[in-house]
């Protein structure tokens, strides 16, 4: 399967699905280790939503590829050079502040992206986006509220979340830098011009940071091309773990 | 005596469908009302649609004393549980 | 006021008549203490029990399996939460209970001190460990203490899927490749005896049992529950085409039950004493999560206090400016 030359709409679905799967996978790592039981359950719900969303995108992609393609072949049998997620979502969980920083930046983008995708000219994609928007609104509220609590909590939490937000900030530039796949999707009317989302995203982020008593980080942007399959070193390890079982028993079904 | 990382206890009431009344589902810990509501949705309704949730600090509930004529009774205060402590108002607020 | 013999007798009659005891009712102090210990240890078991299964979430071999496992482990967290809530009605706090767990003062079910080594363990744990737990839990739905029984009813409703999901994994593996079938057999070999030990030693070895039965906290004996579990599970194993690791297992027509081989209780006591394969890791993981989360919990508490102060000063700015 030549993933980089398949249909443009399929590549777009893989990109959307990969963001959801990789981020959902990261969140699932918190299960059993959360800062308090109630939050452990909340984080697992976020993970379930995202992996569920990934499945929807992958199933649609599989349908369009045809030829017996399945959601699991898409998830478990592509290498990290074939994954099209943003580098931001593959960042390790770190501490709770790092996780919330990552979530906060991505959730705000995801919300704006889905808002646009509900009007996609690709009707099947629009339907998925419409359903996912409600959940993602909830995700964005959840992460925003934690940014405020941590920013406006104790001196220690303020120090930590400031560092986390600064650490994750450089990864956000990729969200608004269109890749080939983004450009093709926008030209076809399937998806938004991601560069145009930057302004509204900054407004959302600034607003929450202000409530939290924090300021916009100034750490310089990184040169990132996750959406083109060139990832940070984290993704390789993530996929090695995630894909290990089917790859160890290639003739088995699960 | 509450330590700085202890979250107070809240009672959760859920109305699963319009037309029914709220039913007591259980309790959970949260630092404030907003988080109590969100946690209640996650824990007691798994975010199913159309449910109404009430959260009340356990300390705010006033309960009747058990009927003296009943088989089992203990002379008791009007708190809802045998809790040794409820969330105490932190000093800063108390001085207002 | 010291409880009179009359009150204790009336309490015994009350529970014998299948009445529920509620938080503010009079109860023997020993009844309350037994329940706090039992409910909190049940809660701890759910929370620690998340860990051996969470171990495989990131390696679940299909997206569907990933979702099912994640939802299952999340359910267990929820069950722990319901049980902590029930215990809190008896005058203890979540923090006290957690502290007791972390210091080793409180126990949790020893089954969770075993490692989950393969994907087939997810099948075996769901089928056998949850199966054994369900046996116990269904009985506890009729326990005399109201909040505990209500928590158990809620838990049993959600449990119904868990065992089926574990069995489904075993079925798929047993019918799969040679390696998958061997994986399933290996998991069954490792989890069978520890699952039987979950019910605890014979009641005649357990000093608290008789009192728990009289108070209707416990409704069936350990041996009864264990026998029920075996009778139900043997045909399930046969259906899978797997062999139970007990050469003495045999249907006894006269008794109407399966006879089974001797349980190695020395292993059980060794694991309870802290020397099982994973005791250290399980407790360490829980302690670490709690310690690493302290700054988060503190931040939320501090923010809530600040917000309360702001609301108070917003309501009465005159007071605030006079302060």
């Amino acid at each position: 399967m030549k993933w980089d030359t398949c249909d443009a709409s399929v590549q777009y679905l893989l990109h959307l699905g990969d963001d959801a799967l990789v981020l959902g996978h990261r969140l699932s790592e918190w299960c059993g280790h959360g800062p308090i039981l109630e939050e452990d359950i909340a984080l697992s719900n976020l993970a379930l939503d995202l992996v569920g969303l990934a499945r929807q995108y992958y199933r649609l992609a599989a349908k369009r590829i045809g030829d017996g393609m399945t959601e699991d072949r898409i998830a478990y049998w592509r290498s990290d050079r074939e994954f099209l997620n943003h580098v931001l979502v593959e960042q390790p969980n770190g501490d709770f502040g790092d996780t919330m920083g990552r979530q906060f930046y991505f959730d705000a983008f995801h919300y704006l992206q889905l808002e646009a995708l509900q009007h996609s000219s690709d009707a099947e994609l629009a339907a998925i986006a419409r359903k996912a928007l409600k959940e993602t609104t909830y995700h964005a509220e959840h992460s925003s509220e934690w940014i405020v609590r941590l920013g406006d909590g104790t001196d220690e939490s303020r120090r930590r979340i400031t560092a986390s937000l600064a650490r994750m900030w450089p990864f956000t530039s990729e969200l608004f830098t269109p890749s080939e796949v983004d450009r093709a999707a926008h030209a076809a009317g399937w998806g938004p011009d991601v560069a145009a989302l930057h302004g509204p995203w900054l407004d959302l982020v600034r607003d929450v940071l202000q409530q939290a008593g924090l300021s916009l980080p100034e750490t310089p942007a990184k040169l990132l091309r996750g959406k083109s399959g060139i990832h940070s070193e984290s993704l390789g390890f993530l996929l090695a773990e995630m894909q290990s079982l089917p790859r160890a028993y290639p003739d088995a079904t699960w | 005596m509450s330590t700085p990382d202890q979250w107070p206890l809240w009672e959760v009431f859920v109305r699963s469908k319009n037309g029914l009344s709220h039913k007591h589902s259980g309790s959970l810990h949260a630092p404030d009302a907003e988080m109590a509501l969100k946690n209640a949705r996650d824990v007691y309704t798994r975010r199913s649609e159309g449910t109404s949730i009430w959260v009340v600090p356990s300390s705010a509930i006033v309960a009747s004393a058990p009927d003296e004529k009943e088989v089992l009774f203990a002379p008791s205060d009007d708190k809802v549980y045998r809790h040794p402590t409820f969330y105490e108002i932190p000093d800063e607020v108390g001085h207002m | 006021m010291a409880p009179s013999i009359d009150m204790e007798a009336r309490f015994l009659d009350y529970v014998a008549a299948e009445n529920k005891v509620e938080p503010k009712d009079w109860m023997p102090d020993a009844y309350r203490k037994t329940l706090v210990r039992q409910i909190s240890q049940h809660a701890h078991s759910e929370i620690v029990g998340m860990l051996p299964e969470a171990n495989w979430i990131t390696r679940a071999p299909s997206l569907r399996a990933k979702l099912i496992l994640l939802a299952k482990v999340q359910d267990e967290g929820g069950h722990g939460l319901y049980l902590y809530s029930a215990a809190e009605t008896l005058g203890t706090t979540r923090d006290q209970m957690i502290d007791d767990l972390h210091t080793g003062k409180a126990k949790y079910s020893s089954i969770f001190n075993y490692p989950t080594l393969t994907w087939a363990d997810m099948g075996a744990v769901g089928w056998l460990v949850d199966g054994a737990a369900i046996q116990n839990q269904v009985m506890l739905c009729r326990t005399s203490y109201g909040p505990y029984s209500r928590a158990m009813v809620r838990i049993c409703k959600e449990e119904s899927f868990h065992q089926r999901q574990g069995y489904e994994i075993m079925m798929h593996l047993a019918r799969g490749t040679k390696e998958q079938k061997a994986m399933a057999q290996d998991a069954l070999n490792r989890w069978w005896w520890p699952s039987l030990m979950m019910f605890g030693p014979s009641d005649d070895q357990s000093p608290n049992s008789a009192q728990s039965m009289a108070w209707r906290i416990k409704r069936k004996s350990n041996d009864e529950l264990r026998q029920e579990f075996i009778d139900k599970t043997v045909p399930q194993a046969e259906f899978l085409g797997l062999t139970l690791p007990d050469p003495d297992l045999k249907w006894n027509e006269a008794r109407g039950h399966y006879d089974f081989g001797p349980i190695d209780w020395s292993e059980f006591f060794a694991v309870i004493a802290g020397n099982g394969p994973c005791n250290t890791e399980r407790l360490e993981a829980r302690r670490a999560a709690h310690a690493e989360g302290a700054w988060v919990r503190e931040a939320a508490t501090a923010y809530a206090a600040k917000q309360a102060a702001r609301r108070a000063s917003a309501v009465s700015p005159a007071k605030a400016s006079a302060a």
Side-chain angles (χ1 to χ4, degrees), chain A residues 52 54-64 70-71 74:
Chain A
R55 291 186 76 195
Q56 290 181 66
Y57 286 132
Y58 288 163
R59 281 205 289 248
L60 183 53
K63 191 177 83 161
R64 290 181 180 177
T70 65
E71 63 187 24
I74 289 172

Side-chain angles (χ1 to χ4, degrees), chain C residues 28-307:
Chain C
D29 200 50
Y31 176 88
R32 192 187 66 81
K33 284 199 172 84
T34 297
L35 275 173
V36 168
R37 195 193 69 240
Q38 181 170 326
I39 300 173
S40 61
Q41 292 188 172
H42 195 165
H44 296 325
S45 297
E46 295 282 351
I47 301 310
V48 176
M50 292 170 77
L51 296 172
E53 289 176 295
N55 188 35
W56 278 88
I57 291 171
T58 53
R59 288 175 293 171
S62 74
L63 295 179
R64 179 176 172 266
K66 199 181 186 75
L67 283 179
I68 288 174
L69 183 57
L70 181 52
K72 176 180 198 279
V73 180
Q74 184 200 40
D75 274 354
E76 279 149 24
H79 296 172
L81 198 153
Y82 304 154
L83 289 164
Y84 284 132
S85 294
E88 285 192 270
T89 65
L90 287 165
T92 180
T93 65
R94 169 98 68 88
D95 284 288
Q96 181 63 62
M97 289 187 272
I98 286 179
D99 197 59
D100 287 346
L101 171 67
H102 293 171
T103 57
K105 197 163 153 234
K107 303 266 173 246
Y108 55 90
S109 187
S110 56
I111 190 78
F112 300 118
N113 292 316
Y114 290 86
T116 48
L117 300 174
T118 72
W119 179 249
D121 288 40
M122 294 301 101
V125 167
W127 172 38
L128 301 174
V129 175
D130 282 322
I134 285 169
Q135 213 64 46
N136 195 35
Q137 277 160 194
V138 167
M139 171 198 72
L140 285 172
C141 289
R142 297 182 297 124
T143 196
S144 54
Y145 187 57
Y148 193 16
S149 118
R150 288 189 290 275
M152 292 317 306
V153 169
R154 190 178 264 277
I155 288 172
C156 283
K157 264 205 307 223
E158 295 180 358
E159 266 318 312
S160 57
F161 289 117
H162 295 179
Q163 193 192 17
R164 277 215 314 270
Q165 285 157 8
Y167 193 68
E168 196 184 79
I169 290 175
M170 293 303 276
M171 264 198 317
H172 189 92
L173 293 174
R175 292 169 182 174
T177 65
K178 224 169 54 204
E179 285 100 344
Q180 284 177 307
K181 182 156 185 181
M183 201 190 280
Q185 182 63 64
D186 168 65
L188 174 53
N189 292 345
R190 283 182 288 105
W191 287 95
W192 174 250
W193 291 104
S195 299
L196 297 189
M197 294 179 203
M198 279 178 77
F199 296 99
S202 256
D203 289 281
D204 52 19
Q205 316 235 332
S206 187
N208 298 316
S209 264
Q211 184 60 275
S212 283
M213 294 283 257
W215 280 333
R216 300 297 193 274
I217 292 177
K218 198 172 159 62
R219 308 300 311 241
K220 287 188 176 172
S221 73
N222 295 349
D223 287 329
E224 263 183 280
L225 289 169
R226 184 176 10 253
Q227 185 68 71
E228 270 177 23
F229 173 71
I230 293 172
D231 291 343
K232 235 178 28 179
T233 310
V234 172
Q236 292 170 351
E238 285 168 359
F239 181 78
L240 291 173
L242 297 175
T243 314
L244 286 163
D246 181 358
D248 298 318
L249 198 56
K250 202 169 52 212
W251 177 252
N252 183 323
E253 190 58 52
R255 279 203 315 131
H257 294 289
Y258 282 94
D259 288 336
F260 54 98
I263 294 175
D264 178 9
W265 289 109
S266 66
E267 177 179 329
F268 176 77
F269 288 113
V271 174
I272 282 197
N275 301 318
C278 298
N279 298 57
T280 319
E281 288 83 349
R282 298 295 180 233
L283 266 189
E284 260 321 295
R286 292 309 312 151
R287 284 193 201 110
H290 193 71
E292 284 158 23
W295 72 275
V296 176
R297 298 190 300 273
E298 282 164 20
T301 302
Y303 177 75
K306 287 187 195 178
Q307 287 295 85

Side-chain angles (χ1 to χ4, degrees), chain A:
Chain A
M1 178 79 204
K2 298 279 290 130
W3 297 101
D4 54 352
T5 55
C6 62
D7 184 87
S9 90
V10 167
Q11 292 207 48
Y12 192 50
L13 289 168
L14 293 182
H15 157 61
L16 296 171
D18 291 345
D19 267 346
L21 177 61
V22 172
L23 190 57
H25 180 94
R26 278 296 186 219
L27 285 170
S28 78
E29 292 170 2
W30 274 103
C31 192
H33 306 281
I36 191 169
L37 190 46
E38 283 80 353
E39 187 59 27
D40 207 300
I41 292 169
L43 290 167
S44 295
N45 266 341
L46 302 179
L48 285 166
D49 286 345
L50 286 164
V51 177
L53 178 58
R55 291 186 76 195
Q56 290 181 66
Y57 286 132
Y58 288 163
R59 281 205 289 248
L60 183 53
K63 191 177 83 161
R64 290 181 180 177
I65 294 168
D67 226 7
M69 182 53 62
T70 65
E71 63 187 24
D72 288 334
R73 278 184 59 200
I74 289 172
Y76 290 87
W77 290 96
R78 282 181 301 146
S79 73
D80 70 322
R81 294 286 280 101
E82 290 157 338
F83 265 68
L84 304 177
N85 55 284
H86 292 97
V87 176
L88 173 63
V89 300
E90 73 205 33
Q91 293 315 297
N93 285 331
D95 72 1
F96 189 72
D98 294 329
T99 293
M100 280 304 124
R102 182 192 65 206
Q103 294 309 114
F104 170 57
Y105 290 147
F106 185 76
D107 289 340
F109 163 79
H110 198 197
Y111 169 78
L112 292 167
Q113 183 194 52
L114 287 172
E115 243 194 352
L117 285 176
Q118 352 170 55
H119 307 296
S120 175
S121 63
D122 180 336
E124 289 174 298
L125 171 51
I128 294 175
R130 226 170 283 127
K131 276 209 321 255
L133 185 56
K134 194 173 184 101
E135 278 172 2
T136 302
T137 306
Y138 189 81
H139 290 209
E141 279 173 16
H142 176 264
S143 49
S144 299
E145 284 176 15
W146 271 113
I147 298 303
V148 172
R149 284 191 170 79
L150 297 177
D152 193 17
T154 60
D155 288 341
E156 180 182 7
S157 69
R158 180 196 191 78
R159 184 180 47 81
R160 286 198 192 221
I161 194 63
T162 301
S164 299
L165 286 167
R167 206 166 12 248
M168 293 295 164
W169 180 257
F171 297 98
T172 60
S173 56
E174 192 190 6
L175 298 169
F176 311 105
T177 311
S179 64
E180 283 301 318
V181 174
D182 283 324
R183 270 192 279 268
H186 181 57
W190 303 327
D193 170 18
V194 295
L197 297 180
H198 201 184
W201 180 84
L202 275 170
D203 289 341
L204 285 174
V205 166
R206 227 184 249 118
D207 188 51
V208 173
L209 291 180
Q210 195 171 61
Q211 284 180 58
L214 302 166
S215 33
L216 270 179
E218 285 170 0
T219 27
K222 281 189 202 291
L223 183 63
L224 299 167
R225 297 181 56 203
K227 293 189 280 192
S228 306
I230 298 171
H231 291 274
S232 68
E233 292 179 349
S234 302
L235 187 62
F237 288 101
L238 185 157
L239 292 179
E241 190 172 305
M242 193 187 93
Q243 299 178 340
S244 57
L245 199 50
R247 287 185 187 265
Y249 301 92
D251 54 343
T253 66
W254 303 93

